[in-house]
Amino acid sequence: MSDSCSPVSWFTHKVRTRGQGWPCRLASVFVGLGLGCQTSTVKSLDGGPVGVDAGPGPSATGNYSSYATEAARCAAEPIRSTGTKHYFCDCKAGADAACQPGSDANDGLSIAAPKQLLAPASTLFQTMPAGDTILLCKGGAFDGNSTGRFVNGNCRATNTCDVRDYVDTRNGHSDPNKKPIVFSSNTGQAAIFDLSDGDTWTHEEGYRFLNLDLEGGAASPRAFFLQNDVSDVFICNNTINSFTSAVVQNESSCGGRSCPVTPLSNRRLTVRGNLFTNNPAIAFLGSGDSQAVEYNSFDRDGNGSMFNHPFYLNGFTWNGSGQVPQNEVVRGNEFYHSNLVNGVCGATILDGHGQHTNTAIEANIVTQVAGTAGPGCWGISYDTGGYPNAEGFTNLIIRANRVTNVGNQSIGTMMCVNCTIENNLIIQDSGTMGARGIVVPAKSRSGLAAGSLTTTGMMIRNNTIWFNAGNGTGITLNSDGATGTGNVITNNAIVVNGSSSPFNCFSLNQPASSYYLDHNDCYFPNLAATRWEELNGATLSGWRTFSGLDLLSITSNPLFTNPESDFTTQASSPLRLAGDSVATHFAPTDILGQTRALPPDIGAYNH
């Protein structure tokens, strides 16, 4: 057990990217939640082969983990004692200096007599019994250019087929912890690990891939490819570098072959604790029931094109209609230096289109270095992709994320029914590009397919938004296809520290009857031109007269503990105990997962 801050923790994320750290005097809070300074109290793996039906997010306790913790768990997981173990060791370029290749003439059933080449390993994988393991030597390097499909109908979710690392004790290694390298530069290869079945739609399940270093050489299309009724796949603690699109989970249009009238969605893919680097198109692309992409680190993924993203939750068309994946989770991931071209970010970092139900986007860190984001560099946006089928999100939750120095939109969505945006921390340090904190709708509805949802029942509560420059809008909730009802904006703290203008605390173009707004704070000490509401409220008092809303809202200095680096509040902060206490108007926990006292605080943090 260690009580030190991980080098890739929630705290030192701030040090690494902005030169200012989250104060470790809050470590006792984070320790209990597994959020940064790590201890043995953080949650264990799911216990099953690939995780559980994740649902829309963790419990209200906010028991989050971190990339470093989850990667370390998989690295330390012992090789199973059950099933047959098949050993392989090859020493291609990049291998440890002490690497000793095996021979395909060996039986491969012991460390002393490993087989050598990876291509026969993929052939063996296709027929081995459930519970068997393909083992690749640490310090080894394997040619993955000609692997076949990794498909096996014997494998089960409760008795998986594994591909992972082992320590070769024959001669030892100068670095015994070096992951086995698997490389490919084959542009015609579906993936190094191709889990597709050639459009036969034969069900397959129960695969695990752990502790590998996968290298695409800027040419190979994918590291992993899942297609056509694949379930219960676990991908953990792999380095996935320089593929066009690193991990892709998708369905096939079948190409005229015999296909089911209504296909089963891919289900229960868990991608956890992996390091994605230098993948120029899309590092992760896919959707599926109970899919969990969590606690991964993404660095220098995407290439600046508006069509490429480090993370893309896609939609899926089938026989003239859209499939609706359910219970997808995007949790605890870290995104750095995203979508760069000529040093400037030009596309959305966490993106999503299509139809989805019960999706949770939570506890992610999205950071660009100040001054490196162009207007198209959005942080989190779940919006229209211009699909030919109806699009929309039901019960989408965007919560407890930290979005720093992206372009003109930090968090956005649209076509959203009964959705919640809560407990997010948004920081904008640079630029006067008209940055917007929270935006609904994120895009125009032009070109939307018939049947796409219209936003109603939107809940925006307990967010903290800090602008070091003006010229923007804190929260926008405008008409999205029709006049919405039941929209709530409460307990948000907005600060405009800069002096460039104009700035709007809120932009609201629907009738006042469409909203409930109150107990918000918007503070603008250096910007007299700030409007409380863009269209009908030059001042808070004027807005109250026009709308009858925000009667208990304030324009006070929130007295953050250390603005720009610590957004908890001082003891005398006017945010403390000043929030709306109606049960549906405040987030029950704060950004750290702490249960809120009553009355609740305004902003993302509870004191």
Side-chain angles (χ1 to χ4, degrees):
M1 177 173 117
S2 170
D3 59 1
S4 63
C5 288
S6 159
V8 287
S9 71
W10 295 85
F11 293 128
T12 54
H13 152 67
K14 301 296 286 184
V15 176
R16 182 167 65 183
T17 58
R18 298 179 61 216
Q20 298 177 9
W22 292 97
C24 276
R25 55 191 169 77
L26 293 176
S28 60
V29 174
F30 279 70
V31 162
L33 298 169
L35 271 176
C37 294
Q38 298 160 13
T39 76
S40 59
T41 63
V42 294
K43 66 174 185 175
S44 63
L45 288 179
D46 297 322
V50 297
V52 297
D53 190 347
S59 65
T61 59
N63 187 21
Y64 303 126
S65 186
S66 71
Y67 159 66
T69 297
E70 298 306 325
R73 292 187 201 282
C74 284
E77 183 179 326
I79 297 170
R80 293 180 302 187
S81 60
T82 57
T84 301
K85 291 175 276 294
H86 306 275
Y87 295 89
F88 291 79
C89 195
D90 202 356
C91 305
K92 297 293 191 296
D96 190 283
C99 181
Q100 180 178 334
S103 169
D104 286 343
N106 294 336
D107 63 14
L109 298 178
S110 67
I111 293 176
K115 289 184 176 292
Q116 180 179 7
L117 301 179
L118 185 63
S122 67
T123 302
L124 172 64
F125 185 92
Q126 295 172 16
T127 59
M128 68 187 194
D132 279 13
T133 302
I134 299 287
L135 291 158
L136 308 183
C137 62
K138 287 186 176 182
F142 297 81
D143 184 346
N145 278 285
S146 57
T147 56
R149 287 191 170 104
F150 280 76
V151 174
N152 185 331
N154 299 322
C155 310
R156 304 260 61 88
T158 54
N159 194 17
T160 62
C161 297
D162 291 5
V163 179
R164 59 162 301 167
D165 58 329
Y166 77 96
V167 176
D168 186 353
T169 57
R170 291 173 300 164
N171 287 334
H173 291 299
S174 57
D175 182 1
N177 295 315
K178 186 176 182 180
K179 294 175 182 176
I181 298 170
V182 181
F183 61 84
S184 175
S185 58
N186 184 354
T187 59
Q189 185 180 35
I192 290 179
F193 295 108
D194 180 1
L195 311 186
S196 66
D197 58 14
D199 291 335
T200 64
W201 289 88
T202 301
H203 175 70
E204 45 181 309
E205 65 178 58
Y207 305 145
R208 302 201 315 163
F209 300 89
L210 290 81
N211 311 327
L212 308 175
D213 181 352
L214 307 179
E215 300 289 335
S220 186
R222 308 172 188 91
F224 293 94
F225 182 45
L226 293 79
Q227 187 179 46
N228 299 350
D229 193 7
V230 184
S231 72
D232 301 283
V233 176
F234 185 60
I235 299 171
C236 188
N237 187 36
N238 301 285
T239 298
I240 307 176
N241 179 63
S242 199
F243 292 85
T244 302
S245 296
V247 177
V248 175
Q249 172 167 249
N250 215 339
E251 310 292 356
S252 170
S253 62
C254 283
R257 303 179 188 182
S258 176
C259 297
V261 174
T262 303
L264 288 173
S265 170
N266 293 338
R267 302 172 300 288
R268 293 181 297 279
L269 167 65
T270 300
V271 179
R272 178 187 295 152
N274 300 281
L275 175 62
F276 291 85
T277 55
N278 303 304
N279 300 289
I282 299 174
F284 179 89
L285 182 153
S287 59
D289 289 354
S290 301
Q291 170 182 284
V293 182
E294 55 186 9
Y295 310 119
N296 303 283
S297 180
F298 295 79
D299 197 349
R300 301 188 185 277
D301 298 297
N303 63 4
S305 165
M306 63 178 293
F307 300 107
N308 294 331
H309 317 278
F311 181 89
Y312 180 17
L313 193 70
N314 68 333
F316 169 52
T317 300
W318 184 263
N319 287 348
S321 63
Q323 298 293 103
V324 186
Q326 302 180 59
N327 301 334
E328 297 162 303
V329 173
V330 186
R331 177 191 299 138
N333 302 288
E334 305 171 11
F335 296 86
Y336 309 110
H337 310 106
S338 300
N339 294 326
L340 295 179
V341 58
N342 298 323
V344 177
C345 169
T348 304
I349 297 169
L350 272 81
D351 200 17
H353 304 316
Q355 293 190 68
H356 303 267
T357 298
N358 297 337
T359 301
I361 314 296
E362 60 189 1
N364 300 286
I365 297 172
V366 183
T367 293
Q368 294 298 116
V369 175
T372 65
C377 180
W378 295 0
I380 300 171
S381 193
Y382 286 79
D383 51 44
T384 174
Y387 287 3
N389 306 107
E391 298 183 77
F393 304 91
T394 304
N395 300 331
L396 170 69
I397 298 173
I398 302 176
R399 65 183 169 201
N401 301 284
R402 294 155 170 80
V403 183
T404 304
N405 292 332
V406 298
N408 71 356
Q409 182 170 300
S410 293
I411 295 176
T413 188
M414 62 187 297
M415 313 171 303
C416 220
V417 175
N418 297 330
C419 301
T420 302
I421 301 175
E422 66 181 16
N423 287 335
N424 299 286
L425 173 61
I426 295 170
I427 299 170
Q428 186 61 260
D429 279 334
S430 62
T432 56
M433 65 181 69
R436 301 176 294 172
I438 295 172
V439 187
V440 184
K443 292 180 180 177
S444 164
R445 293 179 65 91
S446 176
L448 268 183
S452 293
L453 299 180
T454 58
T455 296
T456 190
M458 174 62 65
M459 183 78 65
I460 301 175
R461 61 191 186 184
N462 286 108
N463 300 282
T464 295
I465 301 173
W466 169 275
F467 283 85
N468 232 354
N471 192 16
T473 302
I475 295 174
T476 299
L477 178 51
N478 288 339
S479 176
D480 181 22
T483 298
T485 59
N487 299 311
V488 174
I489 302 176
T490 54
N491 300 343
N492 300 284
I494 303 169
V495 175
V496 190
N497 194 47
S499 58
S500 57
S501 62
F503 189 87
N504 308 299
C505 301
F506 302 95
S507 179
L508 312 165
N509 74 352
Q510 300 183 73
S513 59
S514 296
Y515 303 98
Y516 175 87
L517 277 81
D518 213 348
H519 297 267
N520 299 294
D521 180 24
C522 186
Y523 180 60
F524 39 94
N526 305 313
L527 191 56
T530 293
R531 296 178 65 89
W532 181 269
E533 195 285 315
E534 180 179 17
L535 303 175
N536 297 295
T539 64
L540 175 54
S541 60
W543 169 246
R544 287 170 174 164
T545 299
F546 171 80
S547 66
L549 301 171
D550 278 313
L551 299 181
L552 295 174
S553 292
I554 56 178
T555 59
S556 303
N557 185 341
L559 296 179
F560 294 131
T561 300
N562 186 12
E564 293 199 61
S565 63
D566 182 356
F567 290 89
T568 58
T569 56
Q570 300 176 35
S572 57
S573 169
L575 304 188
R576 291 194 174 190
L577 304 177
D580 194 321
S581 296
V582 174
T584 57
H585 292 175
F586 68 93
T589 61
D590 74 352
I591 190 171
L592 304 181
Q594 301 175 112
T595 300
R596 290 185 181 273
L598 291 178
D601 290 2
I602 295 172
Y605 292 86
N606 191 71
H607 74 273

